[in-house]
Amino acid sequence: MTVLWILAAVAAALAALAGFARIYPHRPLIWLAVVPAVLSIGVLLPELLLATLLIDAAVIVVALIDLVSLPPAGSFSAQREVGAIASLGKPHRAELTISHRGRLSRVVRVRDGIPQDLEPSPEEFTIRLDPVSRATVEVRMKPRRRGAFALSHTHLRARSRWGLWQRQIVLPCRSHVSVYPDMHQLSEYAALARTNRLSLMGVRRTRRIGQDNEFERLRDYTHDDNYKHIDWRSTARRNKLTVKDFQANQSQRIVFLVDCGRMMANEAEGLSLLDHSLNAMLMLSYVALRQGDQVGWLAFSDEIHSYLPPRGGMPQMNRLLHASHDRFCRMVESRYDEAFLYLGTKCHKRTLVVLVTSVIDEVNARQIERYLARLAGRHLPLGVLLRDRRLFDAVEAPRNEEHSLFRAAAAADILTWRHQVLTDLTAKGVLSLDVFPEQLAAPLVNRYLEIKARHLL
């Protein structure tokens, strides 16, 4: 009974340490306790009882002595330096500094309190801290979800001198990271545009029909340029053929209708269809705003979530970024009728209306066809239908097994129906774009440049 009371007291003490001080036994202490545990089997023999109790007492004394050597929680502090704005799917760097004010060297394990949606790497690391010192480590993140994230703490695990105990310490360390759609593509576009290398991003140069008379910029001559546009003074000064670029002298309007319903929750290359759509939308918005056009957007699912009226100027780019960074898919059926009705009450001038969605059933296809066709006389509608790569992979897969043949036949039937939907849209005066979501940005920009060149607006 005495041994049982001792075990109960030890268990209660360990529970109290874990609950209030966040102190836990480490593996060496558990292995050390195995010795008296084995000897306690023979406590029924009088000659082993005294030896067992002495060993128990020795283990307890050693554990208590080592317990005193645990560092206090106040001897550590943490500070995190991280950029407040990150791009979806792009590497983001943070620096974590751990300060130690104790008198003994410590080896600690640190796990930063970064949400898993930001994919921190490494998730945990071990550092050695000398007396009254600090150490800085680099944490790399790769955000997989948009939105605002609050980073409030850092977890630290410190051991006692002999390693029998460990203490879990939560260090306050507040930071905020807002994950926006991919903004690196915007800076990449600007850099390539300055050097006339947009073809590297898949953006084609489109020959304009007619003559636009507003000067835009000077650039290097290419074989497709009209020799009448050569600026001979600049050519003589630079000793290199230089041509003038012209742009349309009227401001045109673009409104994006972005579907945030359940159909946009599917993923392609690690990102949802909505994420790919927002990336492409921001890319085209940046291009259009640089061209002097006005850009707006409307997000909807079973209701209208947000609406930005078309405006020009680069400040509109910031409004689009802030409006889209915390917009997520909802597992509901999208109401296209409400979206187009709301757009009709807000948008009266002729506008390029870009609907970005995914279609896999006839009900949604009929709604999209009906409402886009109604816009054809008043506005210029463009329906962007995102492909499902699994359908194309199923059609092109080798026919080694019987079930793969049936799968390919079903996928081919869906693709045939999808082609008919696109054909019907074209027949009713609706522009269409059928593309894989991860490849959406460049074809969408090319279609916009084609519309501008043909003066369809």
Side-chain angles (χ1 to χ4, degrees):
M1 292 297 294
T2 304
V3 175
L4 294 178
W5 280 108
I6 293 175
L7 292 177
V10 171
L14 292 176
L17 287 174
F20 296 100
R22 300 177 67 90
I23 297 175
Y24 306 90
H26 196 37
R27 281 190 295 269
L29 179 59
I30 297 174
W31 287 111
L32 186 62
V34 169
V35 178
V38 172
L39 292 177
S40 62
I41 299 176
V43 294
L44 299 177
L45 299 177
E47 57 273 15
L48 295 179
L49 179 60
L50 181 60
T52 301
L53 293 177
L54 290 176
I55 294 176
D56 286 342
V59 171
I60 292 174
V61 169
V62 171
L64 291 176
I65 293 175
D66 194 44
L67 179 62
V68 178
S69 67
L70 273 174
S75 62
F76 298 97
S77 62
Q79 183 178 1
R80 184 189 302 107
E81 292 185 5
V82 58
I85 297 177
S87 292
L88 183 66
K90 299 300 181 181
H92 193 63
R93 178 174 170 272
E95 286 188 352
L96 185 65
T97 301
I98 305 297
S99 300
H100 176 226
R101 294 182 291 273
R103 298 181 178 179
L104 299 176
S105 298
R106 299 287 181 181
V107 177
V108 298
R109 301 185 69 178
V110 180
R111 179 186 288 265
D112 202 357
I114 298 177
Q116 288 301 313
D117 287 330
L118 298 182
E119 285 194 7
S121 177
E123 294 186 354
E124 186 175 303
F125 40 86
T126 303
I127 56 177
R128 179 180 179 83
L129 295 171
D130 295 327
V132 192
S133 65
R134 64 177 60 184
T136 301
V137 294
E138 180 178 315
V139 182
R140 296 175 299 278
M141 296 178 282
K142 193 173 184 180
R144 289 300 180 186
R145 189 173 70 88
R146 290 172 289 103
F149 296 88
L151 286 58
S152 59
H153 53 267
T154 296
H155 299 276
L156 184 144
R157 182 185 301 170
R159 297 181 186 177
S160 57
R161 179 179 297 181
W162 296 334
L164 303 181
W165 301 92
Q166 58 184 356
R167 165 174 262 158
Q168 298 277 11
I169 303 174
V170 179
L171 302 177
C173 187
R174 298 189 178 278
S175 303
H176 294 274
V177 176
S178 295
V179 180
Y180 289 85
D182 187 6
M183 296 179 296
H184 288 266
Q185 61 178 350
L186 306 183
S187 58
E188 181 183 0
Y189 178 90
L192 293 178
R194 286 193 297 268
T195 56
N196 199 29
R197 294 184 300 161
L198 288 176
S199 59
L200 298 179
M201 294 184 66
V203 178
R204 302 188 303 269
R205 286 184 52 82
T206 304
R207 183 179 296 276
R208 303 187 181 212
I209 300 175
Q211 180 65 44
D212 298 324
N213 53 19
E214 183 175 339
F215 175 75
E216 181 183 8
R217 61 170 180 159
L218 293 172
R219 60 172 178 80
D220 293 340
Y221 173 84
T222 60
H223 294 292
D224 295 331
D225 290 324
N226 190 335
Y227 68 91
K228 295 180 181 179
H229 294 166
I230 297 178
D231 187 315
W232 295 107
R233 290 187 178 182
S234 300
T235 298
R237 185 173 61 253
R238 300 177 65 229
N239 197 24
K240 191 174 186 180
L241 282 175
T242 305
V243 296
K244 295 179 180 180
D245 251 358
F246 299 90
Q247 64 180 0
N249 54 15
Q250 74 274 13
S251 177
Q252 297 167 339
R253 297 156 60 91
I254 304 175
V255 173
F256 293 93
L257 269 67
V258 181
D259 184 1
C260 299
R262 63 181 183 87
M263 303 305 301
M264 302 294 284
N266 291 333
E267 291 191 355
E269 293 192 355
L271 297 180
S272 68
L273 300 188
L274 179 60
D275 289 326
H276 287 295
S277 301
L278 293 178
N279 288 340
M281 181 202 75
L282 291 174
M283 170 64 82
L284 179 52
S285 300
Y286 182 79
V287 175
L289 291 172
R290 283 174 54 111
Q291 296 277 351
D293 290 341
Q294 301 178 23
V295 180
W297 98 310
L298 189 151
F300 70 97
S301 58
D302 60 335
E303 60 182 4
I304 305 301
H305 298 301
S306 60
Y307 173 71
L308 278 178
R311 294 181 182 175
M314 296 313 293
Q316 180 72 351
M317 195 71 211
N318 293 330
R319 300 186 190 102
L320 291 169
L321 284 169
H322 288 293
S324 61
H325 93 284
D326 58 352
R327 181 58 53 205
F328 304 102
C329 293
R330 299 181 62 188
M331 295 296 108
V332 295
E333 200 70 33
S334 298
R335 293 287 303 273
Y336 296 97
D337 53 346
E338 290 191 5
F340 282 92
L341 179 62
Y342 187 88
L343 180 67
T345 62
K346 298 292 184 180
C347 190
H348 302 289
K349 296 182 180 180
R350 183 168 174 80
T351 304
L352 173 61
V353 179
V354 182
L355 172 64
V356 185
T357 186
S358 176
V359 176
I360 64 171
D361 57 56
E362 294 184 358
V363 176
N364 287 340
R366 284 196 297 267
Q367 291 190 61
I368 292 172
E369 180 181 334
R370 181 193 313 156
Y371 293 111
L372 284 178
R374 289 180 181 177
L375 292 178
R378 186 174 180 181
H379 301 288
L380 180 62
L382 171 60
V384 180
L385 305 185
L386 302 179
R387 293 177 175 179
D388 189 344
R389 188 173 290 277
R390 292 171 296 182
L391 293 174
F392 291 84
D393 292 342
V395 171
E396 298 173 358
R399 316 294 197 266
N400 298 330
E401 301 178 1
E402 183 178 357
H403 69 273
S404 63
L405 182 61
F406 291 126
R407 186 183 298 112
D413 185 62
I414 296 175
L415 293 179
T416 302
W417 165 81
R418 181 187 180 88
H419 177 73
Q420 186 60 45
V421 171
L422 294 168
T423 303
D424 294 341
L425 286 175
T426 303
K428 294 184 178 181
V430 178
L431 301 178
S432 62
L433 186 62
D434 183 29
V435 66
F436 292 110
E438 63 273 15
Q439 301 172 355
L440 175 58
L444 188 58
V445 172
N446 289 331
R447 180 57 60 90
Y448 160 77
L449 295 177
E450 178 186 353
I451 292 171
K452 292 279 289 185
R454 295 172 59 189
H455 300 284
L456 297 181
L457 276 175

